[in-house]
Amino acid sequence: MIILGPNRYGKAETRVVRVTRHGDAHRLKDLNVSTSLSGAMDDVHLTGDNSAVLTTDAQKNTVYAFARRHGVGAIEDFALLLARHFVDSQPSVHRARVAVEEYGWERNAGSGHSFVRSGTEVRTCVAHHDGSGTWMVSGLRDLVVLNTTNSEFRGFAKDPYTTLAETGDRVLATAVNASWRHGAVPSGDPAPDGGRGAATDWDKSYESVRQALLAAFAGTYSRSLQQTLYAMGARVLADCPEICEVRLSLPNRHHFLVDLAPFGLDNPDEVYLAADRPYGLIEGAVLRDDAPGAGPAWD
């Protein structure tokens, strides 16, 4: 027997830039929004009946309309507003997933209207809503960090193909990709523009998690990137009680000492080759032992 399995559809990567103008002081929000809906959608697959389908074009237009009508503050609030709207407004939509990426901009030279992109780091969130429950995962991507010392790697397993030499002091660098699950999400409509109705200060929570990640990376004497990963996740949970689980993906951005002997020069740990590939990839989760179930949050 052949049956239809799990399915969903949506509009991927709707780019929206929202400018808020308060006199000469402007505020800029630069987002990439992906929406995905599922529910009573069997007929569209099995018979071609489209009557239950809210078009992906309408999903895109909703993103733009809500950016104008409600403004954009913390991306978590904007994602929640969209997810709840799609479920509440469409009888055939039982579950909504809204993923948002935010690209940071900083004011340029003290101007109220000139901006410069703030590095490679991207803030992220994924909101899920199914009418009875809501889940939120916040995160960041490509937060590049480097320690010039206080890192070693030795005592590892060896086989006939092992050529890596042990080291008691090395450069440790990575581009942090992290996501963290909130233990509870307030019910009711958020205030996407960050106004007084906002039930959770997502921006404050984000900054607290980010600072915890940075502090743990800088302050951990690392015997392996795995140890550093655990220290970073544990620091987030210790500093941020609203977070119940952290997932980290840490590519090891290798730095190799350059042999300068052919040029009659020594190299006392000063000149390195930064190799971009291949690279070690360390991944893991750190969570509270009493953390509530994740539901669809990580999907």
Side-chain angles (χ1 to χ4, degrees), residues 43-54:
D43 285 348
V44 66
H45 292 274
L46 302 177
T47 70
D49 180 355
N50 296 322
S51 59
V53 175
L54 179 69

Side-chain angles (χ1 to χ4, degrees), residues 9 36-42 52 83-84 86-97 128-133 135:
Y9 78 105
S36 184
L37 311 179
S38 59
M41 306 288 178
D42 287 4
R84 286 169 172 157
F86 289 127
V87 173
D88 294 345
S89 65
Q90 297 296 317
S92 59
V93 176
H94 300 165
R95 292 170 296 278
R97 176 189 188 273
H128 283 268
H129 181 65
D130 65 4
S132 60
W135 296 263

Side-chain angles (χ1 to χ4, degrees), residues 5-84:
N7 58 87
R8 63 188 182 191
Y9 78 105
K11 198 66 155 184
E13 300 196 43
T14 297
R15 293 285 282 109
V16 55
V17 175
R18 176 60 152 91
V19 179
T20 303
R21 305 174 187 274
H22 295 296
D24 293 333
H26 298 172
R27 186 167 62 92
L28 184 67
K29 302 290 281 190
D30 185 357
L31 309 182
N32 192 25
V33 182
S34 294
T35 59
S36 184
L37 311 179
S38 59
M41 306 288 178
D42 287 4
D43 285 348
V44 66
H45 292 274
L46 302 177
T47 70
D49 180 355
N50 296 322
S51 59
V53 175
L54 179 69
T55 66
T56 65
D57 188 65
Q59 295 176 45
K60 173 203 69 179
N61 292 339
T62 303
V63 172
Y64 291 132
F66 275 39
R68 172 65 184 97
R69 177 175 298 147
H70 302 285
V72 179
I75 57 173
E76 287 87 351
D77 281 332
F78 192 61
L80 283 171
L81 193 76
L82 288 166
R84 286 169 172 157

Side-chain angles (χ1 to χ4, degrees), residues 19 99-100 119 160 190 203 249 260:
V19 179
V100 183
D203 291 340
S249 178
L260 299 178

Side-chain angles (χ1 to χ4, degrees), residues 73 100 159 209 216 275:
V100 183
D159 71 358
V209 173

